[in-house]
Amino acid sequence: MRPSVFLPSLPSPDELARRLGRGLLVPPAVGYALWRRLDRLLHTRGLRCTCHPGPPTVAVGGMSPDSRGRVLLTSWLLGWAAARGLRAAVAVPPGEAPAPETPLRALPDADPQDTGIEAALLARYCSQCRILVSADPIQAARTAVTTCDPDLLILQDAVTDYRVARDTNLVLLTPEDLGPGWNRPVPAGVWRGDATTLDRATAFCVFAGADRLETVMQAASRRLKAFARPIFGMTFGIWRFRGPSGAAAAEDLAGEPYIAVLGESDRDVLPDMLRRLLGLPPRMVFYIHDRHRFTLQDFEHLRADALRLRTAHVLTSPRLELKLRAGGEALSGLSVWTYDPEVQFGPNLASGEAFLPWWETTFDAARGQRPVLP
């Protein structure tokens, strides 16, 4: 039968099912967003317990629990504080790790299964900083203040958590957030609130791969212009690699065959970056979810594939490298490599101001005047 020129073609059964599913998720998503608005209002009015920790406080995070770039941005803040001789502390939720009864300090050699991946990474990036793991940010903030009297307190993944007051909200947004995921709260999407949450942002950091950043910033300008906040681009580069013997230059691995184990969130960034730095692509790439828990069978399959492809090198992200350490004997004969990232900021879209002077002005104002935003 020839298609009618007067009647549109009917969607397929699968497409109808997808549309119906999306429609059914809208009412609970609206209800969730309204509840998050109410929670924010109650904290703003002082009707719910809100901790005011004392030192200048900055919340770092995104609208999604899996928002990319959090560790990079927080590690940059920690490095900046160390360069200025400031004491810094971070309150980190446990993530996939079990929640400790009292705030647990993450040390550089801590087991990520006890502290969570983000706390373990931050402790390795800044060994002198106090990284406190707790499901209750109020407990973590109070412990930080009483034990180390920090000059800067960072609330990790707390942009949508109002239990601790903050001076600055640094909101991370990704291409997904600015595209199909825009303003889609749970369960219709992954946002922990609707777009009104962004009213509380002090600045936006748009995180994307260097090759896509310019295009994504154009989308950010359209989406975020109405909020009248600074919008900074943010990406990263690789400044050195790290192998079994410690830090190494790209030349130490260049030309050697390797396989890559990367997170799904790395798909649009890392493969091309590795190819440019090392001179050849990986012989195979395994993409897994960032929260994936490796099993003994995973390690055995990884080793078998490496041997089949005649390579002894596995290259992975810092996050997944911590998980691959648990492979032990199951990965015998393989050397696991990762990299040290370097955070790179673009200028403020509106004014052209660089992130560093903007941040220093913002921090000094908070330190001197101590305004506190709920």
Side-chain angles (χ1 to χ4, degrees):
M1 181 184 296
R2 295 178 61 185
S4 170
V5 296
F6 300 105
L7 297 176
S9 58
L10 294 175
S12 67
D14 288 344
E15 178 61 23
L16 282 173
R18 281 194 293 270
R19 292 181 185 179
L20 178 61
R22 288 197 296 266
L24 291 174
L25 292 175
V26 169
V30 171
Y32 174 78
L34 291 174
W35 175 77
R36 297 295 300 183
R37 285 193 195 186
L38 177 61
D39 180 58
R40 184 170 73 245
L41 178 63
L42 292 174
H43 280 286
T44 302
R45 298 289 177 83
L47 299 177
R48 294 200 67 178
C49 179
T50 304
C51 171
H52 296 261
T57 303
V58 54
V60 172
M63 298 300 293
S64 161
D66 295 318
S67 178
R68 297 165 57 193
R70 283 196 306 254
V71 173
L72 287 171
L73 182 52
T74 299
S75 65
W76 185 92
L77 293 172
L78 293 175
W80 171 85
R84 283 192 56 167
L86 301 175
R87 295 183 301 276
V90 188
V92 189
E96 62 270 28
E101 293 183 6
T102 59
L104 171 68
R105 182 178 182 184
L107 299 173
D109 58 350
D111 187 339
Q113 294 188 14
D114 296 329
T115 64
I117 292 293
E118 292 199 12
L121 286 171
L122 291 171
R124 283 163 172 76
Y125 288 154
C126 186
S127 58
Q128 72 272 25
C129 299
R130 193 165 293 264
I131 314 297
L132 295 169
V133 181
S134 178
D136 184 350
I138 294 178
Q139 279 192 352
R142 288 174 175 168
T143 300
V145 171
T146 57
T147 57
C148 72
D149 187 24
D151 301 300
L152 172 65
L153 176 62
I154 302 173
L155 307 175
Q156 186 77 346
D157 192 25
V159 163
T160 59
D161 188 333
Y162 309 103
R163 287 176 287 177
V164 179
R166 71 290 312 266
D167 304 283
T168 307
N169 269 321
L170 295 180
V171 179
L172 283 154
L173 294 170
T174 65
E176 176 69 20
D177 292 322
L178 296 166
W182 175 260
N183 199 21
R184 293 180 62 84
V186 172
V190 295
W191 277 27
R192 294 169 290 187
D194 59 17
T196 62
T197 307
L198 303 179
D199 288 334
R200 309 306 301 173
T202 309
F204 299 107
C205 293
V206 179
F207 181 73
D211 294 340
R212 298 183 60 193
L213 189 57
E214 183 177 352
T215 302
V216 176
M217 290 299 284
Q218 294 174 2
S221 179
R222 293 191 297 270
R223 292 286 197 191
L224 304 175
K225 184 178 181 180
F227 295 99
R229 302 290 195 278
I231 305 171
F232 297 98
M234 176 180 158
T235 188
F236 75 97
I238 295 174
W239 69 283
R240 68 180 179 185
F241 288 89
R242 190 173 294 277
S245 301
E251 292 76 16
D252 296 329
L253 191 58
E256 292 287 334
Y258 66 97
I259 59 176
V261 179
L262 306 176
E264 282 289 348
S265 59
D266 300 322
R267 186 184 289 269
D268 63 338
V269 180
L270 276 176
D272 289 338
M273 190 182 298
L274 296 176
R275 181 163 46 246
R276 288 195 301 267
L277 289 172
L278 301 177
L280 76 167
R283 292 195 170 177
M284 181 177 287
V285 183
F286 297 94
Y287 292 105
I288 61 175
H289 193 278
D290 289 337
R291 295 180 182 268
H292 178 72
R293 290 181 176 272
F294 286 95
T295 65
L296 178 60
Q297 188 177 41
D298 290 330
F299 295 134
E300 291 173 344
H301 286 170
L302 179 59
R303 183 174 183 273
D305 284 326
L307 295 177
R308 177 174 57 84
L309 294 170
R310 299 181 180 178
T311 176
H313 303 301
V314 178
L315 189 53
T316 188
S317 66
R319 176 183 294 268
L320 295 179
E321 188 263 344
L322 290 179
K323 296 186 177 185
L324 287 177
R325 288 184 183 185
E329 289 299 319
L331 296 178
S332 63
L334 301 184
S335 60
V336 178
W337 291 71
T338 187
Y339 56 84
D340 288 332
E342 178 182 31
V343 183
Q344 300 166 352
F345 292 103
N348 179 4
L349 274 182
S351 66
E353 183 181 19
F355 183 80
L356 175 60
W358 174 88
W359 163 249
E360 292 190 328
T361 300
T362 302
F363 174 80
D364 289 339
R367 197 178 193 188
Q369 301 175 15
R370 302 301 302 115
V372 177
L373 302 176

